[in-house]
Amino acid sequence: HRCNMEAVERLISDFIDDDQDIDKIHTLSHADRVRFYEAEIEKDQLNIRRIRKLAFKGIPEEVRQTYWKILLNYLPTDRTQWEDSLRNSRMLYEEFKIDFFAKPSTPEPSQKDHPLSIEGDSEWNAYFKDIDTIHEIDKDVQRTFPNLHFFHMPKDNNGEMEENEHLIALRSILFVWAKLNPGISYVQGMNEILGPIYYIFATDEENKEYAEADAFFCFKEIMSETMNNFCKTLDTSEMGIVGQIEKLNHLLRRRDPVLWKHLEENNLDPRFYSFRWITLLLSQEFELPDTLRIWDTLFSDKNKFQYLYYVCCSMIVHVREELLQGDFSQNIELLQQYPPISCHTILELANKLSDPKCKISRPEPKPVSFESFGNFFSSLV
């Protein structure tokens, strides 16, 4: 049906005057809501604060790809620069591919560098290492969203697996990133973060031919915030994944000390379940549509991915009754194979938990012994 433009314009006007009242957008029909989100990114100078607030509440799929590009700093807030910025970035990505996928030239007899060289600075030695990296990436890429037809590898008439163009794109992106970041290179699991990003851009009919380049730069931005989680040398430091897990554990202790104490007494180390949650941004705990919705909120956080801790804490608290009644084996199975719960329910509770005043439970008071009473009265004498 046709959008009620008067209602949209009136709501936009109200929103400009009081952008705290963002819940008003949910009173609109879907078509009007899409138009509302579109209107916010049609201005020459974007208001990133308002874009974040809109994204926090969930982005309509019709405009999600553009919002993500803005939130992940791929598109500048000056809309007049978009065309040049996109053209330059896409050209740069193609240059990366040409440079990194180039095979060393066949050496002349007089040249020292040849395919059998073991010299550390040998081009051929580096080339064979790259082949190993590509094989490692390829194994993981083929397991990306195996139940999603979009990434499915078809079979030819002889029953042989054919290559999927989207999996080829994932492989290229991950390899280029690995070459640009040799200190970390490729680590298993990076494909799970890239998959949803590429999917969003490759299903955008208007710009899908640029999906690979666009996904690369958005993936690069995410990794700039999360790469420490993949760095083994930082694992036990505050900057590494163990430090991130500790932040979640401390948050749970503050918000629900009773549940936290029960898990501690059951020796349920948070690393057993939250390592994957944090490292892969929950991409393995929810179906793809729910993952995309959760990422709308995560990307809207100006303190990139700090809100992830509230979402993870919400997941734990949401099943607190089962956890309080369960033992170690029951609880670890529950958290490692998280039950199907609406992401909207999880996000609603996460929003409540983000309030410093929120307390799901209070610490149990310590029992007062007769000895303590005796000591008290003795002090009065």
Side-chain angles (χ1 to χ4, degrees), residues 270-289:
R271 288 177 291 185
F272 294 159
Y273 58 88
S274 61
F275 181 94
R276 185 176 69 182
W277 292 7
I278 295 173
T279 303
L280 304 184
L281 304 180
L282 300 174
S283 62
Q284 299 299 288
E285 317 313 317
F286 297 90
E287 295 295 329
L288 182 59

Side-chain angles (χ1 to χ4, degrees), residues 281-348:
L281 304 180
L282 300 174
S283 62
Q284 299 299 288
E285 317 313 317
F286 297 90
E287 295 295 329
L288 182 59
D290 282 354
T291 298
L292 301 180
R293 171 60 193 90
I294 291 172
W295 283 16
D296 288 343
T297 294
L298 297 185
F299 293 166
S300 73
D301 182 9
K302 64 180 179 180
N303 302 312
K304 286 290 189 296
F305 305 118
Q306 293 301 303
Y307 200 81
L308 175 62
Y309 304 122
Y310 295 108
V311 179
C312 292
C313 189
S314 171
M315 292 169 63
I316 302 170
V317 171
H318 196 79
V319 293
R320 75 185 305 272
E321 297 306 319
E322 294 93 324
L323 291 171
L324 288 172
Q325 295 173 16
D327 57 20
F328 174 86
S329 60
Q330 293 169 327
N331 289 344
I332 196 65
E333 181 179 1
L334 175 64
L335 293 172
Q336 286 185 344
Q337 301 177 25
Y338 198 77
I341 298 174
S342 168
C343 69
H344 301 286
T345 302
I346 297 296
L347 289 171
E348 183 179 357

Side-chain angles (χ1 to χ4, degrees), residues 223 234 236-237 337:
M223 291 306 298
L234 295 176
T236 58
S237 73
Q337 301 177 25

Side-chain angles (χ1 to χ4, degrees), residues 249 252-266 268 273 312-326 331 334-335 349 360-364:
N249 198 35
L252 177 63
R253 184 177 186 177
R254 292 195 302 270
R255 296 296 186 267
D256 196 340
V258 171
L259 177 57
W260 175 85
K261 182 180 179 182
H262 176 76
L263 297 179
E264 286 286 310
E265 291 175 345
N266 275 263
L268 205 161
Y273 58 88
C312 292
C313 189
S314 171
M315 292 169 63
I316 302 170
V317 171
H318 196 79
V319 293
R320 75 185 305 272
E321 297 306 319
E322 294 93 324
L323 291 171
L324 288 172
Q325 295 173 16
N331 289 344
L334 175 64
L335 293 172
L349 179 56
I360 302 300
S361 66
R362 301 283 179 179
E364 297 179 357

Side-chain angles (χ1 to χ4, degrees), residues 135-189:
H135 286 164
E136 184 183 354
I137 291 171
D138 208 35
K139 286 189 295 184
D140 290 342
V141 159
Q142 292 180 30
R143 295 194 288 261
T144 304
F145 293 106
N147 298 324
L148 193 64
H149 181 74
F150 182 82
F151 290 117
H152 188 257
M153 295 181 69
K155 294 183 179 180
D156 60 20
N157 295 332
N158 298 320
E160 297 293 329
M161 302 294 284
E162 295 182 342
E163 289 206 284
N164 178 306
E165 63 175 317
H166 304 304
L167 296 183
I168 295 173
L170 295 185
R171 182 174 63 201
S172 298
I173 293 169
L174 291 168
F175 178 67
V176 170
W177 191 89
K179 289 290 287 182
L180 290 171
N181 297 271
I184 296 180
S185 188
Y186 172 75
V187 179
Q188 187 178 34

Side-chain angles (χ1 to χ4, degrees), residues 70-88:
I70 296 168
L71 294 168
L72 294 172
N73 299 318
Y74 183 45
L75 288 176
T77 54
D78 184 346
R79 201 175 192 279
T80 63
Q81 298 178 6
W82 282 12
E83 185 176 348
D84 289 341
S85 179
L86 288 172
R87 181 176 60 254
N88 293 337

